mmCIF file of all heavy atoms in Angstrom:
data_model
loop_
_atom_site.group_PDB
_atom_site.id
_atom_site.type_symbol
_atom_site.label_atom_id
_atom_site.label_comp_id
_atom_site.label_asym_id
_atom_site.label_seq_id
_atom_site.Cartn_x
_atom_site.Cartn_y
_atom_site.Cartn_z
ATOM 1 N N LEU A 1254 5.629 11.679 -1.054
ATOM 2 C CA LEU A 1254 6.081 13.066 -1.014
ATOM 3 C C LEU A 1254 5.134 13.909 -0.169
ATOM 4 O O LEU A 1254 3.930 13.618 -0.106
ATOM 5 C CB LEU A 1254 6.172 13.642 -2.425
ATOM 6 C CG LEU A 1254 7.244 13.031 -3.326
ATOM 7 C CD1 LEU A 1254 7.074 13.532 -4.759
ATOM 8 C CD2 LEU A 1254 8.634 13.363 -2.809
ATOM 9 N N PRO A 1255 5.622 14.958 0.478
ATOM 10 C CA PRO A 1255 4.767 15.742 1.378
ATOM 11 C C PRO A 1255 3.598 16.452 0.702
ATOM 12 O O PRO A 1255 2.513 16.513 1.277
ATOM 13 C CB PRO A 1255 5.716 16.778 1.984
ATOM 14 C CG PRO A 1255 7.075 16.303 1.718
ATOM 15 C CD PRO A 1255 7.018 15.387 0.527
ATOM 16 N N ASP A 1256 3.777 16.982 -0.501
ATOM 17 C CA ASP A 1256 2.700 17.783 -1.103
ATOM 18 C C ASP A 1256 1.413 17.003 -1.359
ATOM 19 O O ASP A 1256 0.338 17.577 -1.214
ATOM 20 C CB ASP A 1256 3.178 18.534 -2.356
ATOM 21 C CG ASP A 1256 3.774 17.655 -3.423
ATOM 22 O OD1 ASP A 1256 4.651 16.829 -3.104
ATOM 23 O OD2 ASP A 1256 3.370 17.801 -4.591
ATOM 24 N N PRO A 1257 1.446 15.709 -1.712
ATOM 25 C CA PRO A 1257 0.165 15.018 -1.881
ATOM 26 C C PRO A 1257 -0.351 14.302 -0.627
ATOM 27 O O PRO A 1257 -1.298 13.527 -0.707
ATOM 28 C CB PRO A 1257 0.454 14.013 -2.998
ATOM 29 C CG PRO A 1257 1.895 13.698 -2.861
ATOM 30 C CD PRO A 1257 2.536 14.962 -2.322
ATOM 31 N N HIS A 1258 0.262 14.547 0.561
ATOM 32 C CA HIS A 1258 -0.225 13.886 1.782
ATOM 33 C C HIS A 1258 -1.714 14.146 1.956
ATOM 34 O O HIS A 1258 -2.192 15.249 1.736
ATOM 35 C CB HIS A 1258 0.525 14.404 3.013
ATOM 36 C CG HIS A 1258 1.807 13.671 3.264
ATOM 37 N ND1 HIS A 1258 2.550 13.860 4.397
ATOM 38 C CD2 HIS A 1258 2.489 12.755 2.537
ATOM 39 C CE1 HIS A 1258 3.631 13.098 4.349
ATOM 40 N NE2 HIS A 1258 3.615 12.427 3.230
ATOM 41 N N GLY A 1259 -2.421 13.100 2.356
ATOM 42 C CA GLY A 1259 -3.858 13.213 2.576
ATOM 43 C C GLY A 1259 -4.677 12.951 1.328
ATOM 44 O O GLY A 1259 -5.899 12.943 1.383
ATOM 45 N N GLY A 1260 -4.017 12.688 0.208
ATOM 46 C CA GLY A 1260 -4.728 12.470 -1.051
ATOM 47 C C GLY A 1260 -5.023 11.021 -1.371
ATOM 48 O O GLY A 1260 -5.565 10.722 -2.437
ATOM 49 N N GLY A 1261 -4.646 10.100 -0.493
ATOM 50 C CA GLY A 1261 -4.951 8.692 -0.702
ATOM 51 C C GLY A 1261 -3.796 7.862 -1.230
ATOM 52 O O GLY A 1261 -3.938 6.645 -1.362
ATOM 53 N N ALA A 1262 -2.660 8.470 -1.540
ATOM 54 C CA ALA A 1262 -1.546 7.701 -2.101
ATOM 55 C C ALA A 1262 -1.011 6.676 -1.100
ATOM 56 O O ALA A 1262 -0.767 5.521 -1.465
ATOM 57 C CB ALA A 1262 -0.426 8.632 -2.557
ATOM 58 N N ALA A 1263 -0.806 7.074 0.151
ATOM 59 C CA ALA A 1263 -0.263 6.140 1.149
ATOM 60 C C ALA A 1263 -1.229 4.981 1.391
ATOM 61 O O ALA A 1263 -0.810 3.821 1.438
ATOM 62 C CB ALA A 1263 0.038 6.871 2.454
ATOM 63 N N ALA A 1264 -2.501 5.289 1.533
ATOM 64 C CA ALA A 1264 -3.484 4.223 1.733
ATOM 65 C C ALA A 1264 -3.553 3.310 0.506
ATOM 66 O O ALA A 1264 -3.675 2.087 0.641
ATOM 67 C CB ALA A 1264 -4.852 4.813 2.038
ATOM 68 N N GLY A 1265 -3.466 3.877 -0.679
ATOM 69 C CA GLY A 1265 -3.465 3.075 -1.897
ATOM 70 C C GLY A 1265 -2.244 2.182 -1.996
ATOM 71 O O GLY A 1265 -2.340 1.011 -2.387
ATOM 72 N N LEU A 1266 -1.070 2.719 -1.636
ATOM 73 C CA LEU A 1266 0.134 1.905 -1.617
ATOM 74 C C LEU A 1266 0.021 0.779 -0.596
ATOM 75 O O LEU A 1266 0.430 -0.357 -0.865
ATOM 76 C CB LEU A 1266 1.363 2.770 -1.305
ATOM 77 C CG LEU A 1266 1.859 3.638 -2.448
ATOM 78 C CD1 LEU A 1266 2.832 4.696 -1.929
ATOM 79 C CD2 LEU A 1266 2.508 2.800 -3.542
ATOM 80 N N MET A 1267 -0.553 1.088 0.562
ATOM 81 C CA MET A 1267 -0.719 0.063 1.587
ATOM 82 C C MET A 1267 -1.640 -1.046 1.092
ATOM 83 O O MET A 1267 -1.326 -2.238 1.229
ATOM 84 C CB MET A 1267 -1.262 0.672 2.879
ATOM 85 C CG MET A 1267 -1.449 -0.354 3.998
ATOM 86 S SD MET A 1267 0.087 -1.120 4.558
ATOM 87 C CE MET A 1267 0.744 0.201 5.563
ATOM 88 N N THR A 1268 -2.769 -0.674 0.503
ATOM 89 C CA THR A 1268 -3.701 -1.679 -0.021
ATOM 90 C C THR A 1268 -3.008 -2.539 -1.073
ATOM 91 O O THR A 1268 -3.120 -3.767 -1.056
ATOM 92 C CB THR A 1268 -4.950 -1.002 -0.610
ATOM 93 O OG1 THR A 1268 -5.625 -0.316 0.450
ATOM 94 C CG2 THR A 1268 -5.886 -2.005 -1.243
ATOM 95 N N GLY A 1269 -2.280 -1.901 -1.972
ATOM 96 C CA GLY A 1269 -1.557 -2.647 -2.995
ATOM 97 C C GLY A 1269 -0.520 -3.578 -2.401
ATOM 98 O O GLY A 1269 -0.371 -4.728 -2.851
ATOM 99 N N ALA A 1270 0.209 -3.115 -1.399
ATOM 100 C CA ALA A 1270 1.236 -3.941 -0.764
ATOM 101 C C ALA A 1270 0.611 -5.136 -0.041
ATOM 102 O O ALA A 1270 1.116 -6.257 -0.139
ATOM 103 C CB ALA A 1270 2.061 -3.104 0.210
ATOM 104 N N LEU A 1271 -0.480 -4.908 0.671
ATOM 105 C CA LEU A 1271 -1.142 -6.011 1.369
ATOM 106 C C LEU A 1271 -1.675 -7.040 0.385
ATOM 107 O O LEU A 1271 -1.554 -8.252 0.609
ATOM 108 C CB LEU A 1271 -2.268 -5.473 2.259
ATOM 109 C CG LEU A 1271 -1.830 -4.576 3.419
ATOM 110 C CD1 LEU A 1271 -3.046 -3.965 4.118
ATOM 111 C CD2 LEU A 1271 -0.937 -5.317 4.399
ATOM 112 N N ARG A 1272 -2.247 -6.583 -0.706
ATOM 113 C CA ARG A 1272 -2.735 -7.510 -1.740
ATOM 114 C C ARG A 1272 -1.592 -8.294 -2.370
ATOM 115 O O ARG A 1272 -1.708 -9.490 -2.613
ATOM 116 C CB ARG A 1272 -3.508 -6.748 -2.809
ATOM 117 C CG ARG A 1272 -4.867 -6.303 -2.347
ATOM 118 C CD ARG A 1272 -5.617 -5.589 -3.436
ATOM 119 N NE ARG A 1272 -6.927 -5.182 -2.939
ATOM 120 C CZ ARG A 1272 -7.630 -4.202 -3.449
ATOM 121 N NH1 ARG A 1272 -7.189 -3.523 -4.496
ATOM 122 N NH2 ARG A 1272 -8.807 -3.888 -2.932
ATOM 123 N N ALA A 1273 -0.487 -7.617 -2.641
ATOM 124 C CA ALA A 1273 0.668 -8.295 -3.224
ATOM 125 C C ALA A 1273 1.219 -9.350 -2.262
ATOM 126 O O ALA A 1273 1.573 -10.459 -2.683
ATOM 127 C CB ALA A 1273 1.754 -7.286 -3.592
ATOM 128 N N ALA A 1274 1.299 -9.018 -0.974
ATOM 129 C CA ALA A 1274 1.789 -9.980 0.017
ATOM 130 C C ALA A 1274 0.877 -11.200 0.080
ATOM 131 O O ALA A 1274 1.351 -12.344 0.104
ATOM 132 C CB ALA A 1274 1.898 -9.313 1.389
ATOM 133 N N ALA A 1275 -0.432 -10.969 0.101
ATOM 134 C CA ALA A 1275 -1.382 -12.079 0.140
ATOM 135 C C ALA A 1275 -1.260 -12.941 -1.117
ATOM 136 O O ALA A 1275 -1.278 -14.172 -1.042
ATOM 137 C CB ALA A 1275 -2.808 -11.545 0.297
ATOM 138 N N ALA A 1276 -1.108 -12.304 -2.265
ATOM 139 C CA ALA A 1276 -0.978 -13.043 -3.520
ATOM 140 C C ALA A 1276 0.300 -13.884 -3.542
ATOM 141 O O ALA A 1276 0.348 -14.915 -4.220
ATOM 142 C CB ALA A 1276 -0.987 -12.078 -4.705
ATOM 143 N N ARG A 1277 1.312 -13.476 -2.785
ATOM 144 C CA ARG A 1277 2.571 -14.219 -2.714
ATOM 145 C C ARG A 1277 2.543 -15.269 -1.603
ATOM 146 O O ARG A 1277 3.554 -15.909 -1.326
ATOM 147 C CB ARG A 1277 3.724 -13.247 -2.512
ATOM 148 C CG ARG A 1277 3.933 -12.354 -3.738
ATOM 149 C CD ARG A 1277 4.842 -11.187 -3.472
ATOM 150 N NE ARG A 1277 6.241 -11.519 -3.334
ATOM 151 C CZ ARG A 1277 7.122 -11.590 -4.331
ATOM 152 N NH1 ARG A 1277 6.715 -11.340 -5.560
ATOM 153 N NH2 ARG A 1277 8.375 -11.888 -4.103
ATOM 154 N N GLY A 1278 1.384 -15.424 -0.929
ATOM 155 C CA GLY A 1278 1.221 -16.465 0.068
ATOM 156 C C GLY A 1278 1.486 -16.059 1.503
ATOM 157 O O GLY A 1278 1.464 -16.909 2.399
ATOM 158 N N ALA A 1279 1.708 -14.780 1.761
ATOM 159 C CA ALA A 1279 1.968 -14.341 3.137
ATOM 160 C C ALA A 1279 0.708 -14.425 3.987
ATOM 161 O O ALA A 1279 -0.393 -14.164 3.499
ATOM 162 C CB ALA A 1279 2.511 -12.910 3.149
ATOM 163 N N ARG A 1280 0.883 -14.770 5.236
ATOM 164 C CA ARG A 1280 -0.216 -14.768 6.212
ATOM 165 C C ARG A 1280 -0.211 -13.504 7.055
ATOM 166 O O ARG A 1280 -1.159 -13.230 7.777
ATOM 167 C CB ARG A 1280 -0.122 -15.989 7.124
ATOM 168 C CG ARG A 1280 -0.440 -17.284 6.395
ATOM 169 C CD ARG A 1280 -0.512 -18.493 7.305
ATOM 170 N NE ARG A 1280 -1.291 -18.222 8.500
ATOM 171 C CZ ARG A 1280 -0.907 -18.558 9.739
ATOM 172 N NH1 ARG A 1280 0.236 -19.164 9.941
ATOM 173 N NH2 ARG A 1280 -1.671 -18.290 10.774
#
């Protein structure tokens, strides 16, 4: 959402997504 931009949510989601992909065996 626009109001929390810059608060770390997008970067946190990205980190979580990358970790989830790695845990599922993605290269």
Side-chain angles (χ1 to χ4, degrees):
L1254 293 171
D1256 56 310
H1258 274 188
L1266 284 165
M1267 180 64 77
T1268 297
L1271 295 173
R1272 286 182 180 157
R1277 293 167 73 88
R1280 290 187 46 226

